């Protein structure tokens, strides 16, 4: 199971998070390059087309760090940046609640074959003009390995 799918499964299994994230939890594989939208992720919106509190996770990058190297097995350690986006309609309280819960679930945890996930910071108080929604992002550095 990939780091992205493992992180998503971890978040979707948490009843406390889903009680606030009534729009659901999505990953980049589900949304594609268009992200959260009224066509592909209709469950993230109410009957009036207003976004519900929603979580989107995606991987931003994979960068080798060479802390672990085994040339004979073609193994190298790497860092992957996991982005967790939080969306809501005029309600930063729900976004903050989701962001805090995801921190509890992901920070300093191991999942999906990773060594460790560490919180790297937040981008706060943003506005997605296309969705007419507030959003924030938390970044988690995930230490893992690549092996052929």
């Amino acid at each position: 199971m990939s780091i992205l799918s493992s992180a998503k499964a971890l978040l979707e299994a948490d009843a406390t998070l889903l009680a606030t994230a009534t729009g659901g939890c999505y990953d980049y594989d589900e949304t594609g390059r268009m992200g959260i939208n009224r066509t592909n992720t209709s469950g993230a919106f109410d009957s009036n087309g207003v976004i519900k509190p929603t979580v989107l996770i995606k991987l931003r990058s994979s960068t080798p760090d060479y802390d672990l190297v085994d040339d004979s097995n073609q193994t190298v350690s790497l860092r992957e940046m996991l982005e967790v986006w939080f969306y809501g309609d005029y309600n930063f309280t729900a976004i903050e609640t989701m962001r805090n819960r995801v921190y509890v679930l992901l920070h300093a945890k191991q999942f999906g074959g990773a060594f460790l996930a560490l919180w790297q910071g937040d981008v706060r108080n943003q506005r997605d003009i296309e969705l007419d929604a507030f959003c924030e992002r938390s970044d988690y550095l995930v230490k893992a390995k690549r092996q052929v």
Side-chain angles (χ1 to χ4, degrees):
M1 186 178 272
S2 73
I3 289 172
L4 183 64
S5 59
S6 296
K8 182 177 182 240
L10 193 70
L11 300 183
E12 286 183 321
D14 188 71
T16 303
L17 175 62
L18 294 182
T20 304
T22 56
C25 180
Y26 300 90
D27 64 22
Y28 186 78
D29 292 336
E30 293 172 295
T31 66
R33 64 181 179 83
M34 299 302 291
I36 301 291
N37 63 72
R38 290 172 180 83
T39 303
N40 295 338
T41 53
S42 59
F45 299 88
D46 67 16
S47 59
N48 296 318
V50 176
I51 195 163
K52 297 187 258 184
T54 303
V55 177
L56 170 66
I57 60 174
K58 59 184 182 175
L59 287 175
R60 180 170 64 222
S61 62
S62 295
T63 306
D65 63 12
Y66 302 105
D67 288 342
L68 170 70
V69 177
D70 183 349
D71 290 334
S72 64
N73 290 319
Q74 292 188 313
T75 302
V76 64
S77 59
L78 57 89
R79 298 173 185 207
E80 293 192 319
M81 192 60 70
L82 180 69
E83 294 182 358
V84 185
W85 288 85
F86 307 96
Y87 294 89
D89 178 53
Y90 305 106
N91 186 353
F92 276 115
T93 303
I95 290 174
E96 182 178 5
T97 300
M98 292 186 297
R99 188 172 38 79
N100 289 338
R101 185 61 187 165
V102 167
Y103 176 85
V104 168
L105 295 170
L106 296 183
H107 176 68
K109 301 292 191 306
Q110 292 180 295
F111 53 87
F115 298 124
L116 196 61
L118 297 171
W119 175 72
Q120 296 296 292
D122 296 319
V123 176
R124 308 277 308 270
N125 304 318
Q126 301 297 302
R127 183 110 181 109
D128 186 315
I129 296 170
E130 289 183 23
L131 292 178
D132 190 26
F134 289 126
C135 60
E136 294 188 355
R137 184 187 83 213
S138 291
D139 294 334
Y140 290 86
L141 176 68
V142 182
K143 295 278 289 182
K145 68 179 178 178
R146 178 176 181 178
Q147 187 173 20
V148 178

